[in-house]
Each structure stands twice: as C-alpha cells, then as structure tokens.
Amino acid sequence: MFPSELEPKTMRKLHLRPCFLLLTSMLFSLTIARDTLTPADTLTDGETLVSSGEKFELGFFSPPGSTNKYVGLWYKKVTVQTIVMVLNRQNPINSSTGVLTITNNGSLVISDQNSSRIIWSTPATSLENPVARLLDTGNLVVGEDASVSADNAAWQSFDYPTDTLLPGMKLGWDLRRGLNRNLTAWLSSSDPAIAPYTMAMDIQGDPQIFLWSGSTRTWRTGPWNGLRYSGIPEMQTYSMFTFTYVTNQDEIYYTFNIRDQSIISRLIVNQTGSAQRLVWLNQTGSWNLFWFAPKDQCDSVSPCGPNGVCDPNNSPICDCLQGFVPKSPTNWALRDGTDGCVRKTELDCRNRTDGFVTVAETKLPDTSSATVDMSLSLDDCRTKCLSNCSCTAYASANISGSGSGCITWSTGLTDLRLYTYAGQDLYVRLAAKDLGSTSNGSHNGGASMVAIVVPVVLGTLIITLIGCCLWRRRRRRIRRVARRGTMTFGDLHNIDEHSGKDEVDLPLLDLATIVDATDDFSMENKLGEGGFGPVYKGKLADGKEIGVKRLAKTSVQGCDEFKNEVMLIAKLQHRNLVQLLGCCIQGEERMLVYEYMPNKSLDALLFDKSKAALLDWQTRHRIIMGIARGLLYLHQDSRFRIIHRDLKASNILLDKEMNPKISDFGMARIFGGDETEVNTRKVVGTYGYMSPEYAMDGIFSVKSDVFSFGVLVLEIISGKKNRGIYLSDPKLNLLGHAWNLWKDGNALELVDESLAFAFPMAEVLRCTKVGLLCVQERPEDRPTMSNVVLMLGSESATLPNPRQPGFITARVPLEVDSSSSKQDSVSINEISVTMFEGR
Ligand SMILES: *[C@@H]1O[C@H](CO)[C@@H](O)[C@H](O)[C@H]1NC(C)=O
Ligand SMILES: *[C@@H]1O[C@H](CO)[C@@H](O)[C@H](O)[C@H]1NC(C)=O
Ligand SMILES: *[C@@H]1O[C@H](CO)[C@@H](O)[C@H](O)[C@H]1NC(C)=O
Ligand SMILES: *[C@@H]1O[C@H](CO)[C@@H](O)[C@H](O)[C@H]1NC(C)=O
Ligand SMILES: *[C@@H]1O[C@H](CO)[C@@H](O)[C@H](O)[C@H]1NC(C)=O
Ligand SMILES: *[C@@H]1O[C@H](CO)[C@@H](O)[C@H](O)[C@H]1NC(C)=O
Ligand SMILES: *[C@@H]1O[C@H](CO)[C@@H](O)[C@H](O)[C@H]1NC(C)=O
Ligand SMILES: *[C@@H]1O[C@H](CO)[C@@H](O)[C@H](O)[C@H]1NC(C)=O
Ligand SMILES: *[C@@H]1O[C@H](CO)[C@@H](O)[C@H](O)[C@H]1NC(C)=O
Ligand SMILES: *[C@@H]1O[C@H](CO)[C@@H](O)[C@H](O)[C@H]1NC(C)=O
C-alpha cells in the first residue's frame, strides 16, 4: 500500500470514531437505562428498568439459596443487593425464564417466557396508552403515557408494600378504596412469600400501628400525639427524618421522609417479626441498625394487664396504678402481672367527688376503644370525663404546642408503660378516697413537721460542735506549719530572686491563705485523690474559687527544681489546658493552685448514666475538639515538646461552659528525678489508656498520647469505660467492641444510648473513625495530633481505613513492671509528664 492511500483512510476513521461512540452510548442508554415499559416492549430476565435518578432498579432476581425467579425492586447504588419490593412474592417462576409485560388494557403481567402462562397480573385498567414507569421514589406506577406520576397512576406498587416502607410510602388506610397498606415479612431470606409477621395500622379508636404475629399483637406504637408516636419517644430526636401522620375522611396513614436526600434508609418487618429501621452507610458498605422494636419487656403488649403500669427500670416491672390493687395477689406475687389491677374504691360518679391523679412520662394506654375529640382543650377534656360516669381516664390528644385535643378511655387501661423521658401525662380517674396525699396531704401535716424539725435541729447542733473543734485544730496547725516553713525557707519571696530571669509572674501563695481557703483541707472540700496527692476546692478571701492540688510529702525534689517545673507549666497557656494560678512552698508542703472547674472532670459526667444526658452530641464534639487542640499545643505548638502520658477522662476538667481543660500535666518531673530513667524504667499512666508499646516496653512518644486520646474519643462517643465488659463478648474491652462494630458496619451501635440518636450521623462516624485510627496497634500507623485536628475539623478530608487496635482484650498484658502496677492499684489517678526542652 502507498502511504498516500493510507492517510485519508486513517483520517476518516478518526472522524468517525466519536460519532460511533456517541451512537453506542445512546443505544446503551436506550436499552439498559430505561425507566418505562410500554405494550410494545417487554422486560425479560436479565433486563432491568432503572429510575431516572438512578436510585432504584427493577428486574428479575432469585433470592440467595433459591432458583425461583421473582420481579423485584432494589437500590441501584447500594452495593449489597437489597430487595425492597417483590411483585409476585406468592407466585414464583419455577420452570423457565420469565417476562414482564404491560398489556394494551393496562394490566402488568408476569408470565413464563415459552408457555406464556400468566403467573401474576394486576387488574385491567381503562387506559388509552398504558405505560408502566419506575419512579425515583421506588414506586412502579401504571398510567396514561410516559408523564405518569404517583398522583395520576391507575395502579402503583406503593399501594402494595412488601416488607419495606420507603420514604414517601404510606403505612395505613385508604378509606375510599378500602385499601389497607401494611408490611409483611418475608418467610425466609430465600423466600419472599408472606410470613405471619405484619406491621399494620389499626384505625379503631385513636389509630395505632401494631406488630402482629399471626392474629396476636406483639407491639404497639401507641397513638400519634402530634409530634411522634406515644410509644416511640426516641422518634422526637431523630432529626434526620420527618415523620408525618395524616388523618382525614379519605385516608389515615403514617409516612416518613429523609431530610438529606443522599441518605438511604428503610423501615422493615424482619423475618422474626421485629420492626427495624436501617440506614445505609457508604463508608462501610453495609446497613446499620438505627432503631428497632420491640425493645424491652414492657414493649410486649400489656405485660401488666388492665390498670397495671410497666416500668422496665423497676423490679418487678409491673406495678398497679395509684388507687388500684392487684386483681389476683397470688399471681402478682409470682410476677405474673397479666391479670392486672382493680380499684380499691369504686368511683362515686353521682356525688361528683371523683378526682384525677396524674401519671407522668407514660406511653398512653391502648386507644383501640378510646374516644378522640380534637376540638376540646385539656380542661374541657377533664370536664367531659368527669361528666360521663363510664370515663376512666383522659389525656391530651395533641401535645404539640400547648396541648390540645382530648382522648378519653371508658375501659380498663391496658398496656400502660413508663418512660424516663419524652413520655406524656395521663390523668386517671380515682375515687376521692384514693386520691390520697399526692393531691391533698394537709391532714398529716403535724406529724411530718415533727419528723422534719427534730433532725434538722439536732443536725445543726452536731455540725456546729464539729465545726468548732475543727476550727481550733486548724488554727493550731497553721501556726505549727508556718513556723516550720519559716525555719526552712526563710522569706518565701526570696525564691523568686534566685531564678528571676524569666518574665512569668506566678504568685506564691501563703500556706495560711490556702488553709483558710480550703477550710484546713476539710473532707467536704476534697474533690478527689490523685496519684500525687489529694485535690481540694477552695475559696480565696476575695471570693475567687480555686482548685488546690496538695502534693504528697514523699517528694525528693529540691525547691528550685520544683519551682522551675512550676514555672514551665505556668508558661503553658492554652484555652484547653487548665490554668495554673500559683503555687505554695512552705515547709514540706508543696501545692499547686489552679482555676476551679465547676463541672468537675469528664468521667464524673460521662460514666454516670443519670448525668450523661447533660452531654449532648454538640458538647461531646466540642470536648473532643478541645482535647485535640490542647494536646496539639502540648505536642507541637508550645515552646516545649510535652508528652502528657496520662490523658484520661478524669484528667479532663470541664469549665462552666463545658469547655474541656487538660489537667495534671507536668507532674512527673517533680517526683521523677532523672527523666531519661523515667522513660524506660517506670511506666506511669493508667491501664486502659496506655498504648501497647508504652505499657509493654516503656517506649513513649507523642504517639502514646495519641493512643490515649483515641481511647478517650471512643469513651466519649460510647459513654462507656474502656475497661468495661461487653455482653457481646466479655473478653473484649471498648476498643475491641468498637472495632468489631466498625468492621461489621454497625458503628452507630457504639453511640451512647443517652444521646437517643440525636446526632449528625456523618460527624459521629468521622469521630469514631478518627478514634479508631488513633488506637491502632503500631505507633507509626497512628496520626499525629495535627492530623487528628485536621481530620476532625474538616468534612471533606478523606480518612484512611483503621487497622486493628492494640489491646483489644479486656486483660492488660502482665509484662508491665511492678512499680506501675502498684501505683495503679493504689490510685486511679496516676500522673506523669516528661519534658524535652527545645526540639
Ligand atoms: C411451579 O409453580 C406452579 C405454579 O406457580 C406449581 O403449580 C408447580 O407445582 C411448581 N413446580 C415446582 C417444581 O415447584
Ligand atoms: C386485558 O388484556 C389481556 C391480554 O391482552 C386479556 O387476557 C384480558 O382478558 C384483558 N382484560 C380485560 C378486562 O379486557
Ligand atoms: C422454553 O424454550 C427453550 C428455548 O427457547 C426450550 O429449550 C425449553 O425447552 C422451553 N421450555 C418449555 C417448558 O417449553
Ligand atoms: C394487611 O393487608 C392485607 C391486604 O390489605 C390484609 O388482608 C390484612 O388483613 C392486613 N393485615 C393486618 C394485620 O391488618
Ligand atoms: C429481627 O430484628 C431483631 C431486632 O433488631 C433482631 O434481634 C433479630 O435478630 C432480627 N431477626 C432477623 C432474622 O434478622
Ligand atoms: C454515598 O455514595 C454515593 C455514590 O458513591 C454518593 O452519591 C452519595 O452521595 C453518598 N452518600 C453519602 C451520604 O455520603
Ligand atoms: C354519695 O351518694 C350516695 C347516695 O347516692 C350516698 O349514699 C353516699 O354517702 C355519698 N357519698 C359521699 C362520699 O358523699
Ligand atoms: C360516656 O362514654 C361512653 C364511652 O365513651 C359513651 O358510649 C357514652 O355515650 C358517653 N355518655 C355520655 C352521656 O356522653
Ligand atoms: C396539634 O397542635 C399543633 C399546635 O397547636 C397544631 O399546629 C397541629 O395542627 C395540631 N395537630 C392536629 C392533628 O390537630
Ligand atoms: C382536700 O381533700 C378534701 C376531702 O378529702 C377536699 O374537701 C378538699 O377540697 C381538698 N383540698 C384540696 C386543696 O384539694
């Protein structure tokens, strides 16, 4: 061939290629990514319909472990095939391949490909141009031409849910068509046929949603109270969802939506009959269990019978309402409460002497036979109830705003339970005699006055006597200690002149001042016991509150060394480090005076279930960020490179605004003597927070602080101690537990229940991941604090995947030298620091 002949050919090819590509891509999109089906075409096995926004895909599938074919719907972008709807769940194709068509009369038909035997079909419609279309909501709609939507559909799959409620889907009744939309579980993971587990709305009385097992009710949501279901208090805090309840002449239904459209979430009834809300996690590629029901013993329907109250935090869980007694005391004593309770005194309706007792924080009793009147106020409701002799209780039907609407019961109150929060008030009618002291207790006032006054007077006398004695002892002591101090050091203020080279001005406080401020180190003022001595609260004469750390007298450090060390600490100035206000050296006494932290230390709040609610997610996040910044300052940004070596919840103090302040840094040198020896010989710190290389080999670096920080982060997220035991595997500590949850894609299960899911999921997951990165086994894998601050602070930073943490078992290796284990057993508050001057 001649080159001249070749050239034009090549050029033509080059011109053609883009056209060809365009054509194939058009063809591709036409054949594969269509979202409609018309009578002119068919959908055979292997082909799919894809919704226009590529959210859902519809086609033939076989469940795992089965060769049967079904037409189903799944998420296009969820990497684990998750079937959310099955058309022919009761009628599988079991012989050959199937085909989905829409007939000219608008009926969807699934048939056997060769025999044309119809396996499943929808009723015929009177459409001119029937078209089936898969919408981006996951709804398969049939209607007139391609503009069909859910509003003008002749048939839609959302009316016939399988086991899944998708956002925008309705659970409940269409009264015009007599349509009861409910969720029914799959028989097994390989068979989508109807199982006896259903989630359905019962519209008798005040409508409620029930879980059913066959014909038995197994769980009840309670009525909708304007904000949420009465029996799902946590619903209120799910800020990522909007829940809607609609009731009118035509429809009564419940539906939900997700604020952030990129989040994928569904509500299902699973194969063992529980309701679960799952959220897809991109990061881990798995479904996370966000909520489920039933949860506890009180969630089963009416464990305590009529007029009984179930409280899961009590033992036994059943109790009778005020004014009621067990119907069969023998059964009740055997902890079978299902017979319930009966009135002590019959109501006395005619004389109008009955009253009401308020039961707070309840899940309203079963409203199947209750009467609702939305037009009444709560006061009218009370009047209505009093005026009808069969009324036994009333409550507000809509607690949104100031409360409105009226529910009245005329039967026994069944399935009543208590919550610790977000329950609602129920007013139970009682005979005047049973109303008792709660509403009217003046008759026994005389006796109770005596009961109160006598102990108070006695107590005051005793306290005064003790106070006098203590005061005398304190005065004597001050004189004694001060005398000795003067002998040893002479004029305290001379010390300043020895090393007066530096500009830091740290006040030296007089011992007598501190003795006065702390009331002679009285027990009442003692805040805690640290490894190097007790900590006291004090109040200076000018009213300023201080924290005083009184160092143990075993110190061998000289005065100048101590002072230099104190000066060093005093130079550390950061809003996340506790501020040293001064010190006191007198005689054998050495004391450090800090700013006072009214919210005490983090552990006091975090691990106390009754207080953990004070730490909402925003606060926890702020604390994590604060600690990270404080630590970064110690590691990098201060004039020295400081390794804290004993970072832990009890060393994080909280100020008035709950800002974290790292405390107890800079102590090791006071006691340690030669710092190079401290590094290797004496491992100080706290088990559970120590990195493996430090606890085992005594090697410490900034990365050992990073490890402790990671433990702290996981503790803050979970509200649990690293050294706690986990039911799922008692051999694991928090790190192991967190790691397992993370690996299995259940990271959100780690989060403290007291947060009640009121948190931004992405932020919590980010913090968890950072925490796990920090506790990795190998120090070199752990990020530096500057990286940590970056990763925590930026939503766009990509985080590497954590590897297995060090120390995931509950037991700490025994190779730790004895000096440290002794210290650990003596005190929970070891402290130590080593400072490298310069770099
Ligand atoms: C296949 O399905 C048809 C009806 O759907 C049923 O009659 C037949 O018994 C099934 N065959 C097998 C082998 O399950
Ligand atoms: C709808 O069409 C199918 C097939 O095209 C036919 O078998 C069926 O009888 C029709 N139904 C009505 C109600 O016309
Ligand atoms: C279905 O058709 C295929 C070929 O298209 C054939 O091999 C198979 O035997 C047929 N099955 C039935 C049940 O007719
Ligand atoms: C669920 O819906 C189906 C179909 O509407 C109905 O037959 C069934 O009774 C419903 N189940 C319950 C428990 O309401
Ligand atoms: C159903 O959900 C409950 C509650 O989350 C769970 O304990 C149970 O294992 C689940 N059953 C199945 C088969 O997944
Ligand atoms: C999840 O990943 C998909 C695709 O990778 C993306 O479109 C979506 O925005 C992600 N969602 C979230 C919540 O990150
Ligand atoms: C209530 O009225 C009845 C008569 O209907 C009377 O016997 C009874 O003593 C009254 N009870 C009270 C507490 O006044
Ligand atoms: C009293 O309440 C019952 C049950 O709610 C109701 O059937 C009855 O009509 C009411 N009586 C009056 C007088 O309103
Ligand atoms: C409940 O009360 C709120 C505030 O008063 C009101 O906006 C809402 O419409 C009420 N809901 C119903 C169902 O009456
Ligand atoms: C206290 O109870 C008596 C009857 O036991 C009643 O007459 C009186 O009104 C009640 N007082 C208050 C303040 O409720």
Side-chain angles (χ1 to χ4, degrees), residues 334-388:
L334 295 171
R335 308 227 159 156
D336 174 6
T338 47
D339 282 343
C341 310
V342 290
R343 281 183 194 283
K344 279 189 204 157
T345 316
E346 279 312 306
L347 293 177
D348 180 26
C349 190
R350 259 167 235 122
N351 307 7
R352 304 226 159 199
T353 58
D354 296 339
F356 292 94
V357 62
T358 308
V359 187
E361 305 285 15
T362 68
K363 169 182 180 177
L364 292 183
D366 192 355
T367 52
S368 301
S369 57
T371 311
V372 187
D373 187 341
M374 290 310 288
S375 67
L376 296 181
S377 71
L378 198 59
D379 279 344
D380 296 341
C381 196
R382 183 189 179 93
T383 314
K384 177 187 171 190
C385 189
L386 268 182
S387 64
N388 185 333

Side-chain angles (χ1 to χ4, degrees), residues 87-127:
L87 288 181
N88 55 327
R89 64 188 302 189
Q90 297 281 55
N91 314 88
I93 304 158
N94 56 13
S95 52
S96 60
T97 56
V99 56
L100 175 71
T101 51
I102 181 163
T103 63
N104 280 317
N105 54 24
S107 157
L108 272 177
V109 174
I110 299 171
S111 46
D112 205 317
Q113 196 164 17
N114 352 23
S115 69
S116 302
R117 189 170 58 89
I118 292 181
I119 285 165
W120 176 92
S121 68
T122 61
T125 57
S126 51
L127 297 168

Side-chain angles (χ1 to χ4, degrees), residues 406-453:
C406 174
I407 311 180
T408 51
W409 285 262
S410 56
T411 54
L413 305 170
T414 56
D415 198 18
L416 174 62
R417 69 163 289 172
L418 300 182
Y419 289 113
T420 45
Y421 70 103
Q424 112 184 47
D425 286 348
L426 172 74
Y427 306 91
V428 178
R429 184 177 192 166
L430 291 181
K433 200 174 147 205
D434 292 336
L435 284 172
S437 51
T438 46
S439 60
N440 198 332
S442 56
H443 54 278
N444 62 0
S448 56
M449 274 303 276
V450 172
I452 293 167
V453 168

Side-chain angles (χ1 to χ4, degrees), residues 234 237-240 288-292 295 421 748-749 751-761:
E234 60 269 41
T237 58
Y238 293 168
S239 50
M240 56 193 270
N288 181 63
L289 183 59
F290 192 82
W291 169 88
F292 65 94
K295 278 201 170 77
Y421 70 103
L748 286 181
E749 269 180 52
V751 182
D752 196 340
E753 299 98 343
S754 45
L755 289 175
F757 290 101
F759 52 79
M761 209 171 49

